[in-house]
Amino acid sequence: MHSGRGWSFASLLVAALVLLPLIALGAAALRGDASLWPHLLQHVLPPTLHQTALLLLGVGALVIVVGTGSAWLVSAYDFRGRALLDWALLLPLAVPTYIVAYAYMDLLHPIGPLQSGLRAVLGIDSPRDLRLPDIRSLGGCIFVLGFVLYPYVYLTTRALFLMQSATLIEAARTLGAGPRTVFVRVALPLARPAVAVGASLALMETINDIGASEFLGVRTLTISIYSTWVNRADLAGAAQIALAMLAVVAALLLIERRGRRSQRYNTAAQRARPMTPTRLSGAAGVAAFALGSVPVLLGFVAPALYLVERSIARLRFAGLPPSLLDATLNTVATAAAATVVIVALGVTVTYAARVAPGPLAQASARIAGLGYAVPGTVLAIGLLAPLGAFDRWAGDLIEGFVGGSIGLLTLGSGAALIYAYAARFLAVSAGGIESGFARIAPSIDHAARTLGETAGGVLRRVHLPMLRPALAAAALLVFVDCMKELPATLLLRPLDFETLATTLYGEAARGTYEDGAVAALIIVLAGLLPVLLLARVGRRAAETLP
Amino acid sequence: MMTLRQFLTFAGTAATFLFAASPAHAETVNLYTTREPGLIQPLLSAFTRETGVDVRTIFIKDGLAERVAAEGERSPADVLMTVDFGNLIDLVDHDLVQAVDSEVLRAAVPAALRDAGNRWFALSMRARLVYAAKDLDLEGLTYEDLADPRWKGRFCMRSGLHPYSTALIAAYIAHHGEAAAEAWLQALKANLARKAGGGDREVARDILGQLCDIGVGNSYYVGRMRSGAGGPEQQKWGDAIQVVLPRFENGGTHVNISGAAVARHAPNRDQAVRLLEYLVSPAAQQIYAHVDFEYPVNEAAEPDPITAAYGTLQPDALPLTEIARHRRTASLMAERIGFDN
């Protein structure tokens, strides 16, 4: 397995790149002492751990129920409007969580349209006489994050239901299992890797969320990291908390993975057909469509309509913000360049874990995904020191040869941004590609290798063509994530360089987030296109199966 | 559907575009700021018009000090600008700034609003005010009064861990000591009508929505709301509240600043000093007053009429550096009593 070693080495290199900022954080953590911990243990961790755990449980339950439920609905049943739901269920991916939080805050506030309307209908004058629950609460935050993040689970489980379960599900049906039994006893267990990948992405996004949680008044661990760092200028203490949190997340991911290590989810070489959906007509069909529309309405339509309304008001009042075109171009260009890099790295680490199944390649693949478990700003802070050191070293070297002053090479350049995106979103691309690989039986590799193909040759001529849907899905997901990325972009971008997210944030930081409505709407619109492509890729993958 | 090859071509083109060099200007100054650039853009444009010096900016919320430190001697940063004096003093503590010997700056900025070693200078002031329902009589209100149990279930405030809150708590500690401050903060928490959080404008909105009757917020938000600069809806919020300039029982109104310093390794040091000198000039101070609704630091400029209508500002006499010493204690205190929980 000579070439296996090459892949192993490449994978190790990728892991090292992701690990670099984390090591720098570790060094920062060690520069401090442990004096903060008694305070943290006594006053900070009990409430924040409690809130974080409840938030994760709530969001986890919501994304799994909504994600798998809606995926099953559009896979197992056929009804009027199903084709529409099939892609519309992905739409919330296009909206950053903090924007949805802002939107719901405005919609549900006592002086917002919903409560004002309700009071008008009920003939109540004062908001004091009609108190509804405040969205600024743990429950409100679970609601917002759950309905924005469920598409991660929907996407992965939908792909799985489409591509794999037909034979087994039909066997179960032949054996007399009703629809509910099929879902609970066959489809759901089969979907576990997909649910796990989707839910862990959603939960990592939740634990690292700053915007929505802070705005809705939920004290998560990540917010504690912030107050330690920003408020007390205690980077060492913040790095200590961040690394402790990372250790917990990594342990949880490991436990989940161990839990399904002994199981195999690919259906060897037999023909895998998509299952034939049950036709629902009349009232049942309408009910199915209504049920499937709920997540789309809550996670996308309501906040998007609100943004449209705000944008129109804003445009009428202040006109089109200047430099929005530049910001759009910057956003798309950076995200596109980063996507190519991140998908290539994702293929490298997952394929290495397949052809070189030693502990090293496996460990590298796990490490490569760690960046997603760290809050974006913390990761970006970790990148600063290594990039600065590199710039000093390389700058001195180059200036030694050619003279002059070349300033900084990576810091404040597009390269630093792409590096940060890669370290952050590798888990997203690797997760999707890995579940794509999982559907290709190893016997296919063995056959190709027996016929004299190298590991690289198998990848190029056998796997990549089969992986196209998974690759496209990973690419589009990463692209949308990069487009929405805020904290690392804010900290690492060049002078005079704005993306849509930083423009929006700048406006919001002025204290008037409505001013950012236009930028927010463009983020949503620009995110729509990849999401629609994503849905098409999924459908086509199902159609073109052997 | 876009093929992989098409996508690669597109990404390649995009990358080329991204890394293309920006046009060079004869004279530039590079500004790193934690202030949203939209707020200072009118000032920077005016500076460029007057001097021909081009200003390149990057707005960084958190981590400005870390970035400049990582860039080291090769940093392009000339001017570092922050809101909150704590952040400014952090820059000094991290040894990221240099002293500026400028008669213009010394003459324009009162001694209490600049570093004794000339390492930073305030550019504008904002006061920590009380927003309240219009029907309340709040004549002579003090910060201490906010702890009065009569505000139970009627008081709103942003996170106790936000830098503005930290500064106010630190000022309280500086006036009354740690034990009294903790009792005060506990009482404030007991008065909260909702969880501490959101921004200062939410306080105004929640007063309008009758979720609370009284709360704490910055002076300039009111100006922006009432002037109509934020749109007709916000004007409604701003008009729905009364604004009070509270004082400490043994002092004045708590103020914070926006300020700036020249970076230690500034490649365009002369331009940097020129920018600072411009920003404290009467012309620029007028922009701070009338566009941003802040209090000018240069006595030659007057606050905007909207701002002046709150009453006459008598800033607390405690030096900002003295308040800054209590920031850590204040922040730990807010966590200890679980102000945000």
Side-chain angles (χ1 to χ4, degrees), chain A residues 140-278:
Chain A
C141 197
I142 290 173
F143 167 84
V144 165
L145 291 177
F147 277 101
V148 177
L149 298 177
Y150 80 84
Y152 283 108
V153 179
Y154 170 78
L155 185 68
T156 47
T157 42
R158 168 82 174 125
L160 200 111
F161 287 152
L162 264 182
M163 303 184 65
Q164 204 187 36
S165 338
T167 38
L168 291 169
I169 282 167
E170 276 155 24
R173 278 184 188 154
T174 319
L175 292 170
R180 189 175 305 167
T181 318
V182 170
F183 178 61
V184 174
R185 310 236 350 235
V186 182
L188 216 48
L190 271 176
R192 179 163 164 197
V195 175
V197 167
S200 55
L201 290 177
L203 289 181
M204 283 197 267
E205 196 119 330
T206 302
I207 200 170
N208 293 332
D209 177 79
I210 288 275
S213 309
E214 191 179 30
F215 191 71
L216 298 176
V218 178
R219 290 243 331 120
T220 63
L221 209 49
T222 301
I223 293 174
S224 299
I225 298 176
Y226 257 70
S227 54
T228 302
W229 166 45
V230 176
N231 239 349
R232 299 197 283 273
D234 182 2
L235 181 61
Q240 289 167 5
I241 312 176
L243 290 173
M245 184 172 100
L246 174 66
V248 174
V249 174
L252 289 177
L253 289 175
L254 206 64
I255 291 169
E256 193 283 324
R257 193 165 277 277
R258 296 234 154 177
R260 60 184 157 93
R261 192 172 51 171
S262 54
Q263 290 150 28
R264 200 166 58 91
Y265 295 92
N266 48 52
T267 44
Q270 78 263 40
R271 297 163 70 83
R273 286 170 295 108
M275 67 176 107
T276 332
T278 312

Side-chain angles (χ1 to χ4, degrees), chain A residues 410-437:
Chain A
T410 60
L411 272 176
S413 78
L417 278 186
I418 289 170
Y419 185 178
Y421 291 174
R424 239 197 127 185
F425 296 130
L426 195 50
V428 177
S429 97
I433 296 168
E434 193 188 349
S435 52
F437 266 121

Side-chain angles (χ1 to χ4, degrees), chain A residues 66-109:
Chain A
V66 175
T68 51
S70 53
W72 182 248
L73 187 72
V74 297
S75 306
Y77 300 98
D78 193 14
F79 47 88
R80 189 184 286 270
R82 187 188 74 113
L84 174 74
L85 279 187
D86 192 13
W87 60 265
L89 278 162
L90 286 170
L91 290 177
L93 273 185
V95 201
T97 50
Y98 58 97
I99 294 179
V100 182
Y102 290 164
Y104 271 110
M105 171 73 179
D106 276 10
L107 287 171
L108 301 179
H109 194 271

Side-chain angles (χ1 to χ4, degrees), chain A residues 106 109 131 229 231 506 511, chain B residues 36 66 161 201 205-206 210:
Chain A
D106 276 10
H109 194 271
R131 276 274 177 267
W229 166 45
N231 239 349
Chain B
E36 198 278 312
E66 281 82 358
L161 294 169
R201 279 178 340 130
R205 179 154 63 157
D206 285 344
Q210 302 182 11

